[in-house]
Amino acid sequence: MPVTYVNIEWPDNKTDQVYSPSSIVEDYFSSGQEITVEEFLSTCNTALNEASERVRQKYGYACTSAQAESHRINELCQTYEHSKKVKIVSIK
């Protein structure tokens, strides 16, 4: 289960990195993609929940790091207008 990072650019041009314990995020995001903050938040929560569930299936417990990352992203998204765009710079 490879750890994967989604490198993003927020609407104010700040860069950030979203941690995922699973490469499942590649099914939800693609490099160069631009989506609204609202869509990013929803998609990120879905992807991180699925990543955490994959950890549960493999190891018998949820990934608290994925849950913490989801919480962090939720907090950050509240600081931007939901119609603004988030850019997916790369996925590694």
Side-chain angles (χ1 to χ4, degrees):
M1 199 170 313
V3 169
T4 305
Y5 294 94
V6 180
N7 296 300
I8 64 168
E9 186 176 288
W10 291 107
D12 59 3
N13 297 321
K14 289 181 182 174
T15 59
D16 199 353
Q17 193 172 60
V18 179
Y19 163 84
S20 173
S22 166
S23 61
I24 191 66
V25 292
E26 293 174 334
D27 292 350
Y28 291 90
F29 298 111
S30 58
S31 295
Q33 179 183 18
E34 290 190 23
I35 56 177
T36 65
V37 170
E38 183 175 32
E39 185 181 358
F40 175 73
L41 175 59
S42 174
T43 304
C44 199
N45 283 333
T46 299
L48 290 173
N49 284 336
E50 188 169 336
S52 182
E53 186 56 33
R54 283 183 166 208
V55 170
R56 181 190 311 279
Q57 290 171 359
K58 185 169 183 174
Y59 298 106
Y61 53 85
C63 179
T64 56
S65 294
Q67 294 166 346
E69 188 70 341
S70 184
H71 178 74
R72 183 182 78 83
I73 295 300
N74 277 292
E75 292 291 317
L76 283 169
C77 284
Q78 299 311 311
T79 65
Y80 298 103
E81 288 181 39
H82 282 210
S83 61
K84 298 286 185 178
K85 299 283 185 163
V86 174
K87 181 177 182 179
I88 310 303
V89 177
S90 64
I91 302 171
K92 297 179 181 182

